Amino acid sequence: MIQRIQTVYLLLIVVLAVINLFLPLAVFQQGNELLRFDVSGLMTMEGVKEMVYPTWGLMGLVAAIALVAFATIFLYKRRMLQIRLCIFNMLLMIGFYAYFGFLVWKIKDGVDVSVSVRFALCLPFVSMILNYLAIRNIGADEALVRSLERLR
């Protein structure tokens, strides 16, 4: 199981998703006030940490990405199901960016704020690349198994 390269890719996706749970995605500045936007919501940075705008759906998406990638690792005997789950995980990652864009648009709609994105926002994109590589290698394994069955 661990000797297959796609397992390493899927483990890296899990690690990146867990890291994404704890790092800020963006920082909003409204006047002199700084607001930190992470997967759990929009919080004040100075003084008492207070939740201004909760975004639990974003946290649910990141947790689902990590869980699907982790569950996919243990389905190494069912390669076609692995590929389907990887494609589903890719859709979740695209949904993460779509929902993040919607939330930023909704927050910026009526308020004059400036947004600066942080490093953690690129982690799902890196996960998408790793997911694509995992799909390719799972497909190569499936092709190898089918070719060996043909020889029997």
Side-chain angles (χ1 to χ4, degrees):
M1 178 175 69
I2 194 70
Q3 67 269 18
R4 299 167 66 217
I5 189 69
Q6 56 265 29
T7 304
V8 175
Y9 293 148
L10 292 169
L11 275 175
L12 284 174
I13 292 170
V14 172
V15 168
L16 290 177
V18 169
I19 289 172
N20 213 5
L21 287 172
F22 299 107
L23 294 179
L25 299 173
V27 173
F28 286 69
Q29 183 175 4
Q30 181 181 14
N32 337 349
E33 188 178 12
L34 291 175
L35 301 168
R36 184 179 123 187
F37 185 56
D38 57 7
V39 293
S40 63
L42 190 64
M43 292 183 277
T44 59
M45 290 177 66
E46 293 131 9
V48 178
K49 306 289 187 209
E50 181 183 331
M51 180 78 66
V52 176
Y53 189 82
T55 58
W56 296 107
L58 208 56
M59 180 177 269
L61 273 173
V62 173
I65 289 168
L67 288 175
V68 169
F70 190 70
T72 304
I73 293 171
F74 298 104
L75 297 171
Y76 58 91
K77 291 185 180 180
R78 301 180 65 194
R79 286 170 297 280
M80 294 311 292
L81 180 60
Q82 261 189 328
I83 290 174
R84 287 186 187 109
L85 284 175
C86 284
I87 292 170
F88 176 68
N89 210 4
M90 186 80 75
L91 292 174
L92 286 176
M93 292 174 202
I94 292 169
F96 170 84
Y97 279 117
Y99 190 52
F100 175 78
F102 171 74
L103 287 172
V104 168
W105 174 74
K106 189 173 180 183
I107 291 169
K108 283 186 71 168
D109 190 29
V111 185
D112 183 32
V113 296
S114 64
V115 180
S116 64
V117 296
R118 296 291 182 236
F119 170 73
L121 193 59
C122 75
L123 294 180
F125 182 71
V126 173
S127 295
M128 288 170 71
I129 294 169
L130 291 170
N131 203 13
Y132 171 73
L133 292 172
I135 290 170
R136 279 187 43 188
N137 286 316
I138 294 167
D141 278 358
E142 181 66 20
L144 179 66
V145 168
R146 288 183 189 228
S147 73
L148 291 176
E149 286 178 0
R150 214 175 326 140
L151 293 174
R152 288 183 185 176

